[in-house]
Amino acid sequence: MKGLRGYLPFVVLLATWCAVRFGAGRITTTFDEAYYLSTVKTGGIYSGLLVPSLLRGLTLVTGNPVLGLLLLSIVTFIAYYYLVRWFATGMGFKVNQASLLIALLLSSHFLWNANEVRPQAFGIMLGIALLYLLLKKSLSSSWALSVLLLWTALTFVHVLSFFIFLFIYWAVELFYLATGKTSAKGYIASMSLPLGGLLAFLLMPQYRSTVFSAKWILKHSSLHLLESAGWNFPGALLISYVAIVACGLILGVVLKGPLLRAGSLLLGILRMGRMKLWIAVLSSLFLLLIFLQFWLNRALYTGLYSGNWGLPFLMQAGNFLFVLLFLYRLFERARGGMNIPYFITLLTLVLLGISGIAASFFMPTGFGAFGFRNWGLRIYQYFAVFAVPCVAEKIFRLNTPRASSKKSLAVVFGAFIAVSVANVARLPPIYRYPYYWNLGDIEFASTATPGFFFSPGYGIPPNSVAVELLGWAYGVHLEPLRSAKPPTTPDVCSSTLCHVPFPYRLEPIGNSTTLSPSTIVWGRIPEGVRDTVMGMIPNAGGGNYHLILGNSSTNGLIRLLEDEYLIPVTVNYSVITGPTFRYFYAIHEGRKNWDVTRGTFAIQSVLVNGSHYIVVSGNCWDAVVAGLHYLFGLKGSKASVIVGEWVEEDGEVLPGLRLSTADHNGFSYGDSIRILYRG
């Protein structure tokens, strides 16, 4: 019997994982997780490189992306328990299997972290090891090498985790400096260890689109300071890093007396009487912060909870109990002996969480994934992991020899855990949750070709976004059918979905471009660009095709063709999407109008109502002209779709493309053109 107890955590965690993943009679996922799964075949914009690599490898081995995702999820979920137990015992917390399991399962935010396959989950796991080394700091070369390697690895695992742990690392190093545990020289040496990871983030090509996304968010912030940081992102990041290190030197050396007195005052408050009053005040503050975070995302939560504003707080019951237990044990530890570096870790996360909620007020809205207004909750997920040892120790101390009391505690904890598990499982009676897959969805996506999907009754499935992302995991572009009825008879149906192909009709380019087009649809085109294009068109007449230029923002016909799926490729500011491919890119967006150094274009030859259309679209006019230059150089091409990238090489720009006095870069005939796709 004693030997079987060793398997208790595994059995409990496996049962919980199954309840979360399959408790609603379907495979529950999340947007972030489904997005990362969608990148295994076509790539994407990453906040970490490890998770896409693992998913890609598991998909290759299993032949099924969803199976690979679930295998990685269960391994991560169980590994979290053992990693947190190692951290808790290493920090001197008195816990046992039962108390640690209860603490872990009480918080739905921990359950999200451990269950969801996304870079943040792995970033926190690596951060636990990094923080353990920091709290057990030594001055040996092996310690410094280990910390350096972990910092570098953290850059590849999750960028946001890198910056959050950097703040924690700095706060603990500041404490060591102020208390004399390290010298100013040692502080500077220690703070230089993360610098390599920071430079890797800024310079690695794999993070180019991530940097672009971060800049975009900041540039569209309503706070001038954040907007300015977006326009000067690399410099602002490096200057902030140096400023934080310098601030630590000033606080830890010049102002260490006031700093230590402030710390002693804070600990004195924790040690003084009226513990219950302080707990009530801090719990109320936690409720207020949760309300503010929900209010910032009220459009999302109103839909998720069917407009019932009481449900979000009811489903947070496990988190409220988690915070109460944490606060009680925190005050008890303050009186009996506090691990100061650990306390600084938690305090830093609290301050970062409050700052995250404040920053959320200034984040852009209405831009899909770019409209991040949940920074407080994201940082709380870090706090929940590091608060677990404290909560588990409090639960361990609640243990009582009385059988009746044990039963009462078991009932209370069981009820709160059930609420947290239901919260993460997103059970249909409570939630209108769109991120899940049925077995029929997986069967459908694994065999479908690019096209529209719809429910057998001609409706849009409630999980259409999840199905669309699943389609990309299999390497095909699937879109929900938004018309009342499909244009043709379904060619494939599963138990949950039906399919019809996209209506575009491809036509080989052939020798068309040796002749001038019969008509040109310009859209809103600058006069200089029009003159440049006219100078590129062959003089020979007799062409029987229509040439359409620009993109969906500048040419209404291109927008119509894209909306009706009469062309296979769409172009926007950050991605080119085709039937079986996606190319993500980061355009140069500077303060100087028109001054660009790279761009992407798509050439498409299609038949529309019996007429031959050749569409040349790009993310900027320089890219459109680069595409035209390539198009008119073709002779007898059998291709119907060509996607290419233009890159500035000679520092020159064609006169007609110099659209402002600040425009010193742009397309010219000495630049390079690389073909990304031809088919």
Side-chain angles (χ1 to χ4, degrees):
M1 188 70 178
K2 186 176 181 180
L4 293 176
R5 288 182 180 176
Y7 296 99
L8 177 64
F10 179 83
V11 173
V12 171
L13 291 169
L14 179 61
T16 303
W17 181 83
C18 289
V20 167
R21 284 291 182 178
F22 313 117
R26 60 199 188 189
I27 301 172
T28 301
T29 184
T30 66
F31 175 81
D32 285 358
E33 185 178 74
Y35 168 75
Y36 273 94
L37 187 66
S38 77
T39 68
V40 297
K41 289 288 183 68
T42 60
I45 300 175
Y46 303 128
S47 61
L49 304 179
L50 177 65
V51 166
S53 299
L54 291 174
L55 288 173
R56 200 171 293 119
L58 287 168
T59 299
L60 189 64
V61 171
T62 62
N64 185 323
V66 177
L67 178 59
L69 175 93
L70 294 175
L71 287 173
L72 186 56
S73 174
I74 183 59
V75 170
T76 306
F77 191 66
I78 293 174
Y80 249 101
Y81 164 81
Y82 291 100
L83 188 61
V84 173
R85 189 175 75 173
W86 168 75
F87 179 81
T89 55
M91 291 294 102
F93 287 92
K94 294 180 180 179
V95 300
N96 58 14
Q97 287 183 354
S99 65
L100 189 58
L101 282 171
I102 293 170
L104 291 173
L105 302 182
L106 267 180
S107 174
S108 62
H109 292 286
F110 177 85
L111 291 174
W112 279 116
N113 259 327
N115 167 69
E116 186 182 8
V117 176
R118 60 172 174 166
Q120 178 174 306
F122 291 85
I124 293 176
M125 292 175 72
L126 196 61
I128 291 173
L130 177 64
L131 191 58
Y132 182 87
L133 281 178
L134 178 60
L135 299 184
K136 296 285 187 179
K137 182 174 181 177
S138 70
L139 300 178
S140 65
S141 57
S142 61
W143 178 88
L145 179 61
S146 299
V147 172
L148 176 62
L149 291 175
L150 283 174
W151 274 121
T152 305
L154 193 55
T155 309
F156 290 88
V157 172
H158 188 220
V159 173
L160 178 61
S161 294
F162 176 91
F163 289 105
I164 287 177
F165 284 109
L166 180 60
F167 277 104
I168 297 172
Y169 186 81
W170 171 78
V172 175
E173 282 290 345
L174 173 59
F175 166 74
Y176 289 154
L177 178 61
T179 56
K181 188 171 181 179
T182 190
S183 63
K185 183 178 178 181
Y187 165 81
I188 294 174
S190 187
M191 287 303 300
S192 67
L193 295 176
L195 188 57
L198 180 62
L199 293 174
F201 165 62
L202 290 174
L203 299 176
M204 285 176 59
Q206 293 88 339
Y207 279 138
R208 182 181 294 164
S209 293
T210 309
V211 171
F212 166 76
S213 300
K215 290 163 62 177
W216 194 98
I217 293 172
L218 293 173
K219 288 174 186 177
H220 291 80
S221 165
S222 59
L223 187 65
H224 178 70
L225 180 64
L226 295 177
E227 181 190 357
S228 178
W231 283 110
N232 307 279
F233 187 71
L237 208 57
L238 293 172
I239 290 172
S240 298
Y241 185 86
V242 173
I244 289 171
V245 174
C247 181
L249 278 174
I250 295 172
L251 289 173
V253 177
V254 180
L255 300 176
K256 72 175 182 179
L259 180 67
L260 291 175
R261 285 194 292 273
S264 298
L265 177 63
L266 181 58
L267 285 175
I269 292 174
L270 293 176
R271 289 168 181 160
M272 65 188 296
R274 299 186 178 181
M275 179 177 71
K276 292 183 179 179
L277 175 61
W278 278 110
I279 289 175
V281 171
L282 294 174
S283 299
S284 301
L285 177 61
F286 174 75
L287 284 170
L288 174 62
L289 294 175
I290 290 292
F291 173 79
L292 286 174
Q293 187 65 93
F294 282 170
W295 184 81
L296 282 166
N297 289 278
R298 55 193 177 278
L300 169 66
Y301 290 113
T302 299
L304 184 63
Y305 292 96
S306 302
N308 189 332
W309 266 89
L311 272 178
F313 293 94
L314 175 63
M315 300 310 293
Q316 296 294 321
N319 294 309
F320 297 149
L321 180 59
F322 182 91
V323 169
L324 280 175
L325 292 169
F326 165 76
L327 290 173
Y328 267 102
R329 188 57 193 149
L330 181 69
F331 277 90
E332 291 171 354
R333 276 230 162 208
R335 294 175 176 180
M338 175 72 75
N339 183 326
I340 302 300
Y342 172 75
F343 172 69
I344 290 173
T345 297
L346 296 171
L347 179 62
T348 304
L349 286 170
V350 169
L351 295 176
L352 285 175
I354 294 173
S355 302
I357 292 176
S360 296
F361 279 92
F362 303 100
M363 291 294 104
T365 58
F367 295 98
F370 287 122
F372 277 51
R373 307 197 85 189
N374 63 343
W375 292 108
L377 281 179
R378 284 180 177 266
I379 295 172
Y380 177 75
Q381 289 172 356
Y382 290 80
F383 174 85
V385 173
F386 287 102
V388 161
C390 217
V391 176
E393 189 173 62
K394 179 60 181 176
I395 294 171
F396 177 76
R397 291 170 64 86
L398 288 175
N399 194 17
T400 171
R402 293 176 56 187
S404 59
S405 299
K406 283 186 176 181
K407 289 180 180 178
S408 298
L409 285 174
V411 169
V412 170
F413 285 130
F416 279 91
I417 288 172
V419 172
S420 290
V421 171
N423 187 9
V424 181
R426 299 304 202 207
L427 298 179
I430 304 172
Y431 298 92
R432 289 195 304 185
Y433 189 66
Y435 302 115
Y436 64 87
W437 300 303
N438 297 306
L439 292 179
D441 301 335
I442 299 172
E443 176 193 353
F444 172 84
S446 65
T447 58
T449 57
F452 296 113
F453 65 89
F454 52 93
S455 298
Y458 303 138
I460 298 177
N463 63 335
S464 59
V465 174
V467 173
E468 185 179 346
L469 293 171
L470 182 61
W472 281 120
Y474 284 97
V476 294
H477 183 194
L478 298 174
E479 282 281 340
L481 181 69
R482 303 189 185 280
S483 59
K485 286 190 176 183
T488 60
T489 303
D491 57 352
V492 175
C493 281
S494 71
S495 58
T496 56
L497 297 170
C498 289
H499 172 277
V500 292
F502 290 132
Y504 58 77
R505 295 176 58 195
L506 298 178
E507 176 76 3
I509 295 172
N511 292 310
S512 300
T513 52
T514 60
L515 305 173
S516 58
S518 58
T519 58
I520 301 176
V521 182
W522 299 98
R524 298 192 312 274
I525 185 171
E527 184 177 347
V529 179
R530 182 193 292 259
D531 294 340
T532 301
V533 171
M534 292 303 297
M536 299 171 69
I537 292 175
N539 292 325
N544 63 348
Y545 66 94
H546 306 281
L547 183 63
I548 305 154
L549 304 176
N551 57 38
S552 59
S553 298
T554 63
N555 194 315
L557 182 54
I558 293 180
R559 185 187 309 115
L560 177 64
L561 293 173
E562 288 184 354
D563 290 346
E564 298 296 327
Y565 294 89
L566 297 175
I567 52 177
V569 178
T570 59
V571 178
N572 70 19
Y573 61 89
S574 64
V575 61
I576 285 184
T577 303
T580 57
F581 60 81
R582 292 184 297 180
Y583 294 108
F584 295 85
Y585 52 85
I587 64 172
H588 175 93
E589 185 186 10
R591 291 182 184 272
K592 299 176 181 178
N593 291 333
W594 312 106
D595 192 33
V596 293
T597 58
R598 60 193 296 265
T600 314
F601 61 82
I603 302 169
Q604 305 176 72
S605 178
V606 295
L607 288 178
V608 180
N609 296 327
S611 299
H612 185 191
Y613 285 21
I614 295 181
V615 180
V616 182
S617 53
N619 59 345
C620 60
W621 282 116
D622 294 271
V624 172
V625 174
L628 274 173
H629 172 67
Y630 184 84
L631 173 67
F632 288 129
L634 294 174
K635 297 291 189 294
S637 175
K638 296 180 180 180
S640 300
V641 177
I642 298 172
V643 177
E645 180 184 46
W646 151 75
V647 178
E648 176 69 71
E649 293 285 354
D650 57 6
E652 300 291 332
V653 57
L654 293 178
L657 298 181
R658 184 174 281 116
L659 301 177
S660 72
T661 56
D663 186 2
H664 302 297
N665 293 287
F667 176 71
S668 64
Y669 298 123
D671 295 338
S672 65
I673 292 177
R674 180 169 65 100
I675 299 305
L676 304 175
Y677 175 86
R678 187 194 306 270

